[in-house]
Amino acid sequence: MTDDAPEVPAPRKRADARRNEESLLDAAAASFVASGVDAPVREIAARAGVGVGTIYRHFPTRADLITAVYRHQVEACAEAGPALLHEKDSPVGALSAWVDLFIDFLVTKHGLASAMQSDAGAYGPLHAYFLDRLVPVCARLLAAAVSAGEIATGVDAYALMRAVGNLCIGAEADPNYDARRMAQLLIAGLRVH
């Protein structure tokens, strides 16, 4: 191939193929929450309403599936921020709803992160991807809430995300602990009175 040759773009997946993949990723995430990242592939296939072969066709290895679930959930959380700003009555309402989605992501992420720690080379770029996609979304939500006079100034998006993450540690092991409630108290503490 010469330097003059035009670059051929990668083929785009059909809309139904993208929907099927998203359905698989949602089913895998639900299985990971319920049974851990070692959930049987047949359980994931049953949740998605597909055959086991379909999962292997999309994700040849468990590592491929885990990485895809992680990226899919980061994207869903990132895309939710701007949508919530348009849907909710107030920016702090959007921030609060986004924090709930972020907690859902973190619950799944804890299991995924421990599974990925065995391959630190693969985990490092995923963590950077997580920060690059989600910190700006949180910052935008915070800025909107500050501009509306709903929360105090000086709240750092990364610090807020770390605080919410710390509130989620171990939540899955204690049914009497409600990380979502604790995070909402944190958000309430940021409000201007």
Side-chain angles (χ1 to χ4, degrees), residues 13-14 16-25 50-61 64-65 68:
K13 289 185 180 182
R14 293 184 338 242
D16 62 333
R18 285 192 308 273
R19 280 190 304 273
N20 288 344
E21 188 172 311
E22 286 180 19
S23 175
L24 288 174
L25 294 172
V50 300
V52 171
T54 301
I55 291 179
Y56 286 117
R57 195 167 34 259
H58 285 276
F59 311 103
T61 69
D64 293 334
L65 180 60

Side-chain angles (χ1 to χ4, degrees), residues 80-170:
L84 287 167
L85 275 174
H86 292 290
E87 293 169 12
K88 296 296 179 181
D89 292 336
S90 69
V92 78
L95 176 64
S96 181
W98 187 82
V99 165
D100 282 347
L101 293 174
F102 183 58
I103 289 170
D104 292 341
F105 167 73
L106 291 175
V107 169
T108 305
K109 179 184 172 291
H110 284 305
L112 298 177
S114 62
M116 291 186 292
Q117 288 295 349
S118 61
D119 185 4
Y123 181 71
L126 282 176
H127 184 67
Y129 172 74
F130 161 83
L131 293 174
D132 290 346
R133 290 294 289 140
L134 296 185
V135 171
V137 173
C138 185
R140 180 175 174 194
L141 291 163
L142 282 168
V146 168
S147 291
E150 296 176 327
I151 65 169
T153 60
V155 180
D156 176 72
Y158 177 75
L160 176 60
M161 290 172 61
R162 286 284 308 252
V164 171
N166 287 339
L167 290 172
C168 292
I169 294 173

